[in-house]
Amino acid sequence: MATLLLLTSALQPSAEVLPALGLLGHQVKILPAEGAALVNAPDCDLVLVDGRRDLAPARDLCKLIRTTGSDVPVILVLGEGGLPVVALDWGMDDVVLHTCGPAELDARIRIAVARLSQHDDAESAVIRSGDVTVDEATYSARLGGRPLDLTFKEFELLKYLAQHPGRVFSRQQLLQEVWGYDYFGGTRTVDVHVRRLRAKLGPEHETLIGTVRNVGYRFVIPSTTAEDDESDSDASNGSDANA
């Protein structure tokens, strides 16, 4: 069950604001419907804002919640008189009549919480390291605002390195992690793909993939200098191998 935060000006019991809540098993915490209450508000899965009587303050409170950077779903509780004027730019995720039944209310709560979870999952699939953004969900990578046209293995190599900025990997480690344990090609394959990846990053950014002498490669954290990195001569001296 979800933990709900109910913001109501009357500080009424939740069953009076939204009777259906009394028939559900969600945990409900009640706070005054004012901005100051948000400062020390407890963690919750969803916020309910009571707008049955004072619609304008409830609208302002929904907008205020969004300005705090909170991504917790917000449901505005309305009387029927509020439906004709409610608008999307108020900042809430959904609206519900205070007379709704428990099945409808529970469905709206579950959907709102699940939607946030899906959004978090999508965000977790995006890797950001400096100006490089790697989106696992769409198999796309960008350097600043520029899309990178990568092959599958180039993408996998960039993703793996960007996931571990600053960490040095040997060619053998990269071969195992990116190509897999059942790949029988030599480690020069890694050199070839590093060289191609650097070329696609461009002259100004090719040093993002640093070479560490006699060890391997690493993703260079942009805020640091790579004094111990060689140029990519080791990679460029390798002969092409099959991808």
Side-chain angles (χ1 to χ4, degrees):
M1 291 295 175
T3 298
L4 311 179
L5 180 61
L6 173 61
L7 304 178
T8 174
S9 58
L11 283 180
Q12 295 176 326
S14 59
E16 294 187 23
V17 177
L18 202 53
L21 270 180
L23 302 175
L24 300 175
H26 301 297
Q27 181 181 2
V28 183
K29 302 176 182 179
I30 301 175
L31 286 179
E34 54 191 38
L38 300 175
V39 177
N40 296 313
D43 292 337
C44 62
D45 299 308
L46 182 140
V47 176
L48 293 161
V49 176
D50 182 8
R52 296 169 302 152
R53 296 185 177 88
D54 300 315
L55 193 55
R59 173 201 60 198
D60 295 340
L61 185 58
C62 289
K63 291 183 176 182
L64 179 61
I65 292 171
R66 287 295 171 246
T67 63
T68 65
S70 172
D71 58 357
V72 174
V74 176
I75 294 181
L76 180 59
V77 182
L78 297 172
E80 287 196 19
L83 291 177
V85 296
V86 69
L88 183 62
D89 63 0
W90 288 17
M92 72 287 171
D93 296 276
D94 200 356
V95 296
V96 64
L97 287 175
H98 71 99
T99 55
C100 74
E104 177 186 351
L105 179 60
D106 189 56
R108 290 181 182 274
I109 291 172
R110 286 188 293 101
I111 290 171
V113 173
R115 185 179 294 122
L116 175 62
S117 177
Q118 288 180 344
H119 179 268
D120 289 343
D121 289 343
E123 284 296 309
S124 68
V126 178
I127 301 163
R128 294 183 176 87
S129 233
D131 291 334
V132 173
T133 302
V134 178
D135 190 338
E136 295 182 85
T138 61
Y139 270 89
S140 61
R142 303 181 71 87
L143 178 60
R146 174 170 65 91
L148 297 173
D149 183 17
L150 306 179
T151 65
F152 177 75
K153 287 303 180 186
E154 290 166 356
F155 174 85
E156 289 292 317
L157 178 60
L158 178 62
K159 180 186 77 172
Y160 189 74
L161 289 172
Q163 281 177 318
H164 309 89
R167 181 176 171 184
V168 181
F169 294 97
S170 69
R171 293 169 175 82
Q172 187 61 43
Q173 285 176 311
L174 292 173
L175 199 64
Q176 292 174 351
E177 296 296 334
V178 177
W179 279 262
Y181 286 92
D182 57 348
Y183 181 76
F184 294 103
T187 56
R188 280 300 180 184
T189 295
V190 178
D191 296 333
V192 171
H193 281 76
V194 166
R195 186 171 70 248
R196 292 172 181 170
L197 187 53
R198 282 172 170 161
K200 292 181 179 181
L201 290 172
E204 295 182 1
H205 302 281
E206 61 182 8
T207 54
L208 287 173
I209 311 298
T211 304
V212 180
R213 185 189 299 272
N214 298 325
V215 182
Y217 299 104
R218 69 172 182 173
F219 189 92
V220 178
I221 302 173
S223 60
T224 65
T225 57
E227 294 178 354
D228 60 338
D229 285 358
E230 293 181 342
S231 68
D232 57 351
S233 58
D234 284 353
S236 61
N237 289 334
S239 59
D240 283 359
N242 292 329

